[in-house]
Amino acid sequence: MAGVADQQDVAAGGVVTLGLDMDLGHQGAGGVQEQQFAGAGAGGHRLGHAVRREHHRAVVRAFVQFLDEDRAHGLQPLDHVAVVHDLVAHVDRPSARALRLGERLLQVARIALGMDALRTGAYDAALQNLDLPDSSELDTLLLGQLSAWADAGKGDAGAAIRRLDEISGPPWFAIFNLYQKGLIFMQAGQPDEARRVLKVLLDDRASVQTSPDAYLAAVEALARLEMQAGNKDAAEEALAYGLQVAPTYDPILFLERQLDAGEAVTPTVQTPQQGASEVLYTLGQAINRGDGRDVALLYFQLADAVSETTSDKLVTALAGVVADVRSSQATLSTAEADHEPH
């Protein structure tokens, strides 16, 4: 399997790879356009750019092949030395470069085991496997947020919030951490704290430029919180934040219709598994707006695998990336056919 393929690649639990030398910190300075929110594959806002891409595709390919062959349903306890040996064997040309990949793949395998522990509610095991040295800014953010949800799973929301506060990184970390704080407070039954941090996020309009998807996710989360509490005016105020930056964004418009009709809504997350899924989905969307479509697809797949439910927005994200991949493949095939001698 080379790179990202077709629908068989999006089966729940089938593929995992994380933190593959992506850099979300380089962003454009232009304004946010409405059409950028039309679908998961929209590419108008280039938030992130991949770095050192000459090797992350090999990591993806090797880990996908390993999991396809050695795991049918769920991650099993693995011998880490055997993992690295088998993964490196899948790299096209074993070499010093392959050995370096092996070290990275060992870390990826540990993260995968941590994610499976999160999925099954083994939160101590999740924390142990996610306790890894950071090799990139994305690793720092990802591992910290996933570990925070493991803390929340143990019933210690205070530890989860402290862990998020201790994540050290560039300014663009803020929007992602504030969003996760709001969700953790909600899941822990602390709505006033959730309101406080989500309003801080929404009042920072510049954060839209960092991650429009995280910003709009925070709008939805706060609106749902207020709708559940019966605070119609506060819910309308929350939705207004989103409508100001994306007036035609369907999820916000749908929530607005539900509010007007007095319909009941569910919270954005109800379990630590859904929280971990939201971490992967939000970061996957940021990566997808850059040059990491194949890695974004894998984040979305793992987001689907770790949660007991699949959200509509995750289905849309998966479908959007797969459609983009197929479109690119079709374009490439057409170009190759045009260059064939007749």
Side-chain angles (χ1 to χ4, degrees):
M1 182 186 303
V4 177
D6 53 19
Q7 286 180 331
Q8 70 181 8
D9 292 339
V10 298
V15 185
V16 285
T17 187
L18 307 177
L20 300 177
D21 296 307
M22 304 294 294
D23 181 5
L24 305 186
H26 302 291
Q27 62 185 54
V32 178
Q33 302 299 319
E34 290 178 34
Q35 62 266 28
Q36 292 166 10
F37 299 96
H45 179 76
R46 310 282 292 184
L47 177 139
H49 298 283
V51 295
R52 295 184 291 280
R53 290 176 57 85
E54 70 275 8
H55 72 257
H56 90 255
R57 290 181 184 275
V59 177
V60 172
R61 182 169 62 251
F63 200 56
V64 167
Q65 290 174 338
F66 173 75
L67 290 177
D68 282 348
E69 295 172 9
D70 294 325
R71 179 173 64 84
H73 302 288
L75 288 168
Q76 302 299 321
L78 300 175
D79 180 299
H80 291 160
V81 175
V83 168
V84 174
H85 175 79
D86 287 346
L87 289 171
V88 173
H90 283 90
V91 178
D92 294 338
R93 291 183 297 277
S95 61
R97 174 172 170 270
L99 293 176
R100 290 193 298 272
L101 286 177
E103 295 175 359
R104 186 63 178 126
L105 289 164
L106 173 56
Q107 185 173 10
V108 172
R110 284 279 301 278
I111 297 173
L113 290 171
M115 289 305 308
D116 195 57
L118 261 173
R119 181 182 64 83
T120 60
Y123 300 118
D124 285 328
L127 288 169
Q128 181 179 2
N129 279 296
L130 294 172
D131 185 14
L132 294 166
D134 303 331
S135 61
S136 70
E137 290 176 345
L138 181 55
D139 280 341
T140 299
L141 186 61
L142 178 69
L143 293 171
Q145 291 191 345
L146 293 178
S147 295
W149 277 108
D151 289 327
K154 295 177 64 177
D156 196 343
I161 297 300
R162 287 193 297 274
R163 190 182 295 273
L164 292 176
D165 285 336
E166 291 168 359
I167 296 176
S168 177
W172 57 264
F173 277 21
I175 183 172
F176 298 102
N177 281 331
L178 283 171
Y179 178 48
Q180 294 304 320
K181 282 185 185 180
L183 296 184
I184 287 172
F185 279 130
M186 275 189 225
Q187 197 266 335
Q190 300 181 46
D192 289 341
E193 286 300 304
R195 290 185 180 95
R196 179 182 63 81
V197 297
L198 289 175
K199 285 181 179 178
V200 168
L201 189 163
L202 297 183
D203 284 335
D204 180 11
R205 301 303 174 90
S207 64
V208 178
Q209 301 293 333
T210 302
S211 176
D213 302 287
Y215 188 90
L216 290 174
V219 168
E220 291 185 64
L222 182 56
R224 287 176 179 275
L225 176 63
E226 300 297 6
M227 290 168 71
Q228 282 193 299
N231 301 328
K232 184 174 182 180
D233 290 344
E236 288 177 343
E237 181 182 346
L239 291 172
Y241 280 96
L243 293 172
Q244 286 177 14
V245 299
T248 61
Y249 184 57
D250 284 340
I252 299 295
L253 295 175
F254 181 67
L255 267 182
E256 188 177 44
R257 290 193 293 270
Q258 288 183 297
L259 177 62
D260 290 340
E263 297 178 8
V265 296
T266 58
T268 300
V269 300
Q270 296 175 282
T271 67
Q273 288 74 26
Q274 292 174 355
S277 179
E278 194 68 14
V279 168
L280 290 154
Y281 167 78
T282 307
L283 291 177
Q285 285 286 46
I287 293 168
N288 192 40
R289 289 182 180 275
D291 297 328
R293 183 178 58 196
D294 51 347
V295 177
L297 176 57
L298 297 173
Y299 270 61
F300 295 151
Q301 289 171 312
L302 191 52
D304 183 43
V306 75
S307 178
E308 62 272 29
T309 58
T310 302
S311 65
D312 290 341
K313 65 182 181 182
L314 183 54
V315 171
T316 301
L318 282 164
V321 177
V322 171
D324 284 350
V325 170
R326 288 179 171 171
S327 176
S328 296
Q329 290 173 339
T331 300
L332 180 60
S333 297
T334 300
E336 289 175 346
D338 289 342
H339 284 85
E340 290 180 357
H342 298 286

